[in-house]
Amino acid sequence: MIILGIETSCDETAAAVVADGSQVLSSVISSQVEAHGPYGGVVPELASRQHLENILPVVELALVEAGLGLDQVDALAVTRGPGLMGALLVGLSLAKALALGLNKPLVGVDHVQAHVAAAFLEPPYPQPPLIALIVSGGHTSLVRLEAWPGEFQLLGRTLDDAAGEAFDKVGKLLGLAYPAGPVIDRLAASGTDILNFPRPMMDGSFNFSFSGLKTAVLNYVKTHRIQEPGRDLEEGQTSLADVCASFQEAAVEVLVKKTISCAKDQKVDNIVLAGGVAANGRLRQLLKQEAERAGMELIAPSLALCTDNAAMVASLGFHLLESGAKLETGPGSDWGLDAVSRLNIGQAGPNHE
Ligand code: KG4
Ligand code: ZN
């Protein structure tokens, strides 16, 4: 079954063509990073306008790269939430129009669940029951999955900032470009964890909190001279790489320890790492090492599939269609599929809020 996936929930306009839920025939991503960069974060109105400009060329390119015409698409999948309302509506409106014009089924998917679907795009495929650590710019959650696709049982979540948000905010404090996650990852590789920032919420719960860590970095930055990005280290300054490594190590250590103890608690030995922060080199390395030590298997999607893309949307769409998801939109339905800015994982099934 050929699925055309469409993703416009935040600042990437993406379309992908995926065969049978696992063979990625094309995956096109148009990033808006340059447009939002000067503002230090995503500007919702600007995101909607950029999606409007980019969506048709992105969909066309995805079809060209897959070597297929629209008439060869069997079904469509689109992100319905969570995300920026105006941004979501661009993808959803196009997906509805295409489904109506082609008389094909359209399935709306949860963006956070789609991040987990990325792990099912390439072998080795995860084996439920599993624990998934979902870490992105908007989410940090530990969930349990009995089957795929299936209900997400929420076991832990962040009480304040999401992990990616913490990377981006700390990056801003250090004068790094948005989004700072990948930049901190790169800089930290040549630094050392010497600053002993706090490891928050190591209280035995599976919830997270990153605001205290962010404040600790802020206090350090306010009271010390830090090397400026792109400049040589001066006398009396702390190296930027060491600040990045110290922050990253604290954040990663908490994510890894909680994930492993959650899996132990749940008596589950399969772990999936998903979401944009899953691209972090140190997080992948430490989680793999600790999973192996505990006799568990870690599956993390390849880097390009961790950050926002539409292949993960098409993959989840395929699995939902295969498992007989009720369609709110498509032939024979009432076309009631709507965008939802907030979808609570763990309370949301595949097709309801
Ligand atoms: O999943 P994603 O692409 O979009 C959301 O759904 O939020 O995640 C984006 C987040 C950003 O906060 C970005 O800084 C972070 O993922 N990120 C990283 C890395 N690559 C992306 N954080 C740490 N290390 C990375 N290599
Ligand atoms: Zn995402």
Side-chain angles (χ1 to χ4, degrees):
M1 187 194 286
I2 303 287
I3 309 248
L4 172 63
I6 296 177
E7 155 65 42
T8 61
S9 67
C10 192
D11 59 344
E12 324 279 356
T13 314
V17 180
V18 174
D20 298 330
S22 61
Q23 201 190 340
V24 182
L25 303 181
S26 66
S27 178
V28 177
I29 302 167
S30 168
S31 171
Q32 304 177 3
V33 158
E34 274 182 28
H36 299 286
Y39 303 97
V42 178
V43 182
E45 174 68 18
L46 188 55
S48 311
R49 288 171 189 270
Q50 293 262 316
H51 284 309
L52 267 179
E53 272 177 33
N54 297 334
I55 189 74
L56 281 175
V58 164
V59 168
E60 276 175 359
L61 188 58
L63 289 164
V64 168
E65 287 189 0
L68 295 174
L70 261 183
D71 54 335
Q72 288 165 288
V73 168
D74 297 309
L76 294 101
V78 65
T79 301
R80 62 178 305 226
L84 303 169
M85 186 48 97
L88 288 165
L89 283 172
V90 176
L92 189 65
S93 305
L94 177 65
K96 275 190 177 179
L98 288 174
L100 187 61
L102 298 167
N103 197 31
K104 297 285 163 141
L106 165 64
V107 60
V109 309
D110 178 321
H111 177 87
V112 180
Q113 296 189 7
H115 271 300
V116 177
F120 290 84
L121 275 168
E122 320 154 292
Y125 302 111
Q127 300 292 325
L130 58 84
I131 297 296
L133 171 66
I134 309 166
V135 269
S136 71
H139 293 266
T140 299
S141 310
L142 273 169
V143 299
R144 180 186 171 112
L145 263 168
E146 288 307 325
W148 182 255
E151 296 290 324
F152 281 54
Q153 185 192 349
L154 184 67
L155 302 171
R157 63 180 177 86
T158 182
L159 303 179
D160 41 55
D161 292 347
E165 198 180 352
F167 272 86
D168 295 339
K169 286 180 175 170
V170 164
K172 205 170 180 177
L173 294 176
L174 298 171
L176 303 176
Y178 172 85
V183 188
I184 291 180
D185 188 358
R186 188 169 41 77
L187 289 168
S190 59
T192 311
D193 171 24
I194 51 167
L195 301 179
N196 262 320
F197 288 133
R199 273 58 175 158
M201 296 287 288
M202 294 311 290
D203 56 358
S205 86
F206 302 132
N207 288 329
F208 302 92
S209 164
F210 292 104
S211 68
L213 172 58
K214 182 187 64 193
T215 307
V217 180
L218 175 65
N219 289 340
Y220 187 85
V221 169
K222 274 186 177 166
T223 50
H224 295 77
R225 289 181 56 225
I226 317 288
Q227 177 187 8
E228 287 176 38
R231 298 276 187 88
D232 287 341
L233 182 64
E234 291 172 15
E235 186 73 32
Q237 286 185 329
T238 308
S239 114
L240 186 59
D242 287 346
V243 181
C244 289
S246 300
F247 159 73
Q248 179 176 275
E249 200 62 21
V252 163
E253 212 176 286
V254 175
L255 289 168
V256 170
K257 284 198 170 147
K258 292 206 176 220
T259 305
I260 299 290
S261 57
C262 181
K264 279 186 184 158
D265 179 74
Q266 292 288 311
K267 301 187 172 40
V268 161
D269 49 20
N270 288 289
I271 298 174
V272 164
L273 175 60
V277 182
N280 184 271
R282 180 62 181 147
L283 176 58
R284 295 170 83 91
Q285 180 196 41
L286 192 64
L287 191 52
K288 189 170 191 334
Q289 176 190 311
E290 294 304 309
E292 272 169 13
R293 195 200 296 266
M296 298 169 182
E297 189 181 5
L298 170 70
I299 292 186
S302 55
L303 295 190
L305 292 172
C306 287
T307 41
D308 288 351
N309 66 85
M312 66 186 196
V313 173
S315 170
L316 179 52
F318 169 81
H319 291 291
L320 290 175
L321 286 168
E322 282 278 292
S323 68
K326 172 183 153 284
L327 291 182
E328 294 167 80
T329 307
S333 78
D334 62 4
W335 294 88
L337 181 66
D338 208 353
V340 195
S341 60
R342 283 175 176 274
L343 272 173
N344 288 331
I345 202 163
Q347 294 158 21
N351 263 347
H352 37 85
E353 287 160 43

